[in-house]
Amino acid sequence: MKILVVGSVALDTIETPFGKVENVLGGSAVHFSCSASFFASVALVGVVGQDFPEEYLQFLSSRNIDISGLQVSKGKTFRWKGYYEYDLNQAHTLETQLNVFKKFHPRLPQKYKNADFIFLANIDPDLQKEVLKQIKNPKLICCDTMNFWIENKQKSLLETIERVNIALMNDAEARELCKTYSLLDAARKIISLGPRTVIFKKGEHGALMFTDSSHFSAPAFPLEEINDPTGAGDSFAGGFIGYLAKSEDLSETNIRKAVIYGSVMASFNVEGFSVNRLRSLTHKEIDERYEIFKKITNF
Ligand code: AMP
């Protein structure tokens, strides 16, 4: 087991201009794990309620995902309800039901504590810190977040960000957190807190990576068919960290490649609702899209 993720495991109800689904498999840790498991073994830490369908547990176990750290608690599973208009970059939250997350405290099985690559997916930053306290000596720690936590738990979130090597978030969240229009300025502010690298996800406009001395820009894959952007950020993180874990190379050149693998995985994820597109995805398709990325960015 190389990668450890803590994050939400959810039942999502989503409406986009292309369809509507109710109580489907979702959550930041789920989208991340399904994506990262194409590259390396993943251990998932989270919680679900007794209403969580057995079929979803079986699906996760059938992948390269260890769910022995997924607690099943009394009560209802975390639920998120949202919709998108034709601007698919903007998720509109209708309802967030924390349910079993209200009383959840991550307990890492002994074998998880030595994981090399840690992803603190979008979840209450207090819980992200509880995981940080339990891990031993990882090679890389990354985190993600969203507006809900920026608005409700900002102090705690900043304490998490201070302790990670790479911070990921979307551009609107970076602007909100750093109170600036300029992403360059936001990157400087975040790097001054502690991370050596920051990655801003910009939906259909790709991703920007900043270090204290460099800047890399990757486009998003131009897609004709998109059904559901939910989980794009987490599947990006899955491809990004998955590739780093597989290659075990944290040089800047390789981190740039990982950004492209992240973009490849996000581009597949948005083609279907929930994680459905990743169910049929093959390694050959991933490699082909990576090669197309090389062509479209070469000049
Ligand atoms: P993304 O589209 O990558 O930003 O993440 C989408 C996933 O985040 C959905 O599957 C939701 O279940 C999950 N989610 C939504 N709100 C929250 C929240 N406040 N905390 C944790 N996860 C959330």
Side-chain angles (χ1 to χ4, degrees), residues 8 10 12 26-28 31 78 80 96 122 146 148-149 229-234:
S8 56
D12 285 344
S28 54
H31 284 285
F78 172 86
W80 179 75
T96 303
N122 175 27
M146 72 179 291
F148 187 88
W149 304 115
T230 309
D234 307 307

Side-chain angles (χ1 to χ4, degrees), residues 173-220:
E173 287 154 2
R175 290 188 170 106
E176 185 177 357
L177 179 67
C178 300
K179 299 179 187 61
T180 176
Y181 166 77
S182 162
L183 291 177
L184 190 58
D185 186 28
R188 278 197 199 110
K189 285 186 171 146
I190 294 170
I191 287 173
S192 74
L193 294 174
R196 61 169 180 260
T197 303
V198 52
I199 297 177
F200 296 141
K201 299 162 288 174
K202 291 162 57 73
E204 64 172 328
H205 305 297
L208 291 174
M209 178 176 95
F210 295 90
T211 69
D212 60 357
S213 57
S214 66
H215 167 200
F216 175 61
S217 174

Side-chain angles (χ1 to χ4, degrees), residues 23-293:
N23 292 324
V24 293
L25 179 59
S28 54
V30 166
H31 284 285
F32 173 86
S33 307
C34 291
S35 169
S37 62
F38 279 88
F39 300 87
S41 54
V42 184
L44 188 162
V45 170
V47 64
V48 293
Q50 287 155 324
D51 57 350
F52 194 69
E54 178 62 31
E55 170 209 338
Y56 291 163
L57 292 174
Q58 277 172 14
F59 165 68
L60 293 171
S61 306
S62 73
R63 299 280 154 155
N64 206 1
I65 304 169
D66 180 340
I67 56 165
S68 50
L70 180 62
Q71 298 171 30
V72 181
S73 292
K74 254 192 186 167
K76 284 170 80 180
T77 301
F78 172 86
R79 277 172 171 72
W80 179 75
K81 189 172 178 184
Y83 72 94
Y84 303 83
E85 291 171 340
Y86 279 97
D87 177 1
L88 296 169
N89 288 332
Q90 179 69 43
H92 302 277
T93 294
L94 291 170
E95 201 178 349
T96 303
Q97 286 181 29
L98 293 177
N99 296 335
V100 285
F101 264 107
K102 279 190 202 145
K103 289 193 179 157
F104 170 65
H105 291 283
R107 281 190 310 272
L108 267 51
Q110 202 55 34
K111 59 181 175 178
Y112 288 12
K113 294 186 178 171
N114 293 313
D116 285 333
F117 292 80
I118 313 291
F119 184 52
L120 308 171
N122 175 27
I123 194 180
D124 184 332
D126 290 344
L127 301 179
Q128 293 178 320
K129 284 189 298 186
E130 284 182 31
V131 169
L132 287 177
K133 277 189 201 137
Q134 296 174 60
I135 52 176
K136 295 252 164 73
N137 194 16
K139 293 188 172 131
L140 186 75
I141 310 174
C142 304
C143 77
D144 193 4
T145 191
M146 72 179 291
N147 53 358
F148 187 88
W149 304 115
I150 293 172
E151 287 152 24
N152 295 308
K153 291 258 176 115
Q154 186 155 147
K155 186 169 168 287
S156 178
L157 175 63
L158 292 174
E159 286 164 6
T160 295
I161 292 175
E162 273 172 21
R163 291 172 208 173
V164 305
N165 307 115
I166 302 183
L168 296 108
M169 64 192 77
N170 74 32
D171 52 343
E173 287 154 2
R175 290 188 170 106
E176 185 177 357
L177 179 67
C178 300
K179 299 179 187 61
T180 176
Y181 166 77
S182 162
L183 291 177
L184 190 58
D185 186 28
R188 278 197 199 110
K189 285 186 171 146
I190 294 170
I191 287 173
S192 74
L193 294 174
R196 61 169 180 260
T197 303
V198 52
I199 297 177
F200 296 141
K201 299 162 288 174
K202 291 162 57 73
E204 64 172 328
H205 305 297
L208 291 174
M209 178 176 95
F210 295 90
T211 69
D212 60 357
S213 57
S214 66
H215 167 200
F216 175 61
S217 174
F221 191 81
L223 286 172
E224 251 174 287
E225 195 186 342
I226 300 187
N227 274 301
D228 174 16
T230 309
D234 307 307
S235 50
F236 174 94
F240 175 74
I241 297 173
Y243 176 71
L244 291 176
K246 181 179 169 190
S247 54
E248 296 214 13
D249 172 355
L250 294 176
S251 65
E252 188 175 330
T253 309
N254 205 52
I255 292 180
R256 289 179 180 219
K257 277 190 194 168
V259 169
I260 301 298
Y261 275 106
S263 307
V264 166
M265 296 309 287
S267 74
F268 284 117
N269 191 69
V270 302
E271 286 178 355
F273 279 89
S274 178
V275 290
N276 291 341
R277 179 63 180 92
L278 300 192
R279 288 176 190 256
S280 63
L281 184 65
T282 64
H283 286 279
K284 185 164 171 279
E285 288 175 307
I286 295 173
D287 293 342
E288 283 169 0
R289 204 165 272 188
Y290 181 82
E291 289 306 316
I292 300 176
F293 254 102

